[in-house]
Amino acid sequence: MTAAPAGAQALNRLAAYINAHSHALLRVTVGIVFFGFGVLKLFPSASPAEQLAVDAATKMTLGMVPETVLLLSLAALETAIGIGLIVGRRLLRPALVAFFLHMGGVFSTLLLLPDAMWQPHSPAPTMEGQYVVKNVVLVAVCLVVAAHEWGRGTVRHR
């Protein structure tokens, strides 16, 4: 039997390493994205989603919460979710719950702001709608992370 070429061995080692750390990699990268987007909302007009988020949150709160409070609350929430995902440990489960609740609000914009989300006379999303729809990838990633995390507590040893 001949040994695998060095390049193949290196790829196998890399694949094994990534496989062993894939859940942490997914968790931390989504955490970085959330942390970054949350921090952007702390600076006026820095976030491309700022007005969209404020408009949707204003509709959800029936206009009873000032825009600055909404924006700071969203910034704090997204930043906290990001920190929870990055750090993991005891912060992971609350961060995942907050993430999924937040995604409910994010996806509600597709219904709450149809003129901003969908092109006229077409089922195609606008650029803002695409910005929202792409979050299905983040949801899928966090479902994998959640399944891994929540599955760890249910494994029974014989």
Side-chain angles (χ1 to χ4, degrees):
M1 235 158 114
T2 61
Q9 289 176 349
L11 286 176
N12 286 338
R13 283 193 305 275
L14 177 62
Y17 180 83
I18 291 170
N19 189 44
H21 301 295
S22 60
H23 293 102
L25 179 64
L26 292 172
R27 176 178 54 77
V28 170
T29 54
V30 172
I32 291 168
V33 167
F34 255 75
F35 180 81
F37 286 162
V39 169
L40 276 181
K41 287 182 178 70
L42 294 172
F43 301 96
S45 302
S47 170
E50 181 178 312
Q51 195 56 53
L52 181 66
V54 167
D55 291 347
T58 298
K59 275 204 167 190
M60 285 184 226
T61 60
L62 305 174
M64 298 189 322
V65 180
E67 287 187 4
T68 53
V69 172
L70 290 172
L71 194 57
L72 288 174
S73 298
L74 284 169
L77 175 64
E78 290 179 4
T79 302
I81 290 170
I83 291 169
L85 290 171
I86 293 166
V87 171
R89 297 187 187 95
R90 293 186 183 269
L91 298 179
L92 182 55
R93 290 180 184 211
L96 286 167
V97 170
F99 169 84
F100 289 118
L101 291 172
H102 179 57
M103 283 295 114
V106 168
F107 284 110
S108 73
T109 61
L110 297 170
L111 300 173
L112 292 172
L113 304 171
D115 293 339
M117 297 289 105
W118 306 103
Q119 294 182 23
H121 313 294
S122 170
T126 61
M127 188 62 78
E128 292 84 357
Q130 291 174 39
Y131 190 83
V132 170
V133 171
K134 60 95 177 115
N135 284 302
V136 297
V137 175
L138 299 180
V139 169
V141 167
C142 281
L143 284 171
V144 170
V145 170
H148 179 260
E149 173 64 16
W150 293 330
R152 291 180 335 134
T154 60
V155 175
R156 292 193 179 118
H157 298 286
R158 293 184 182 185

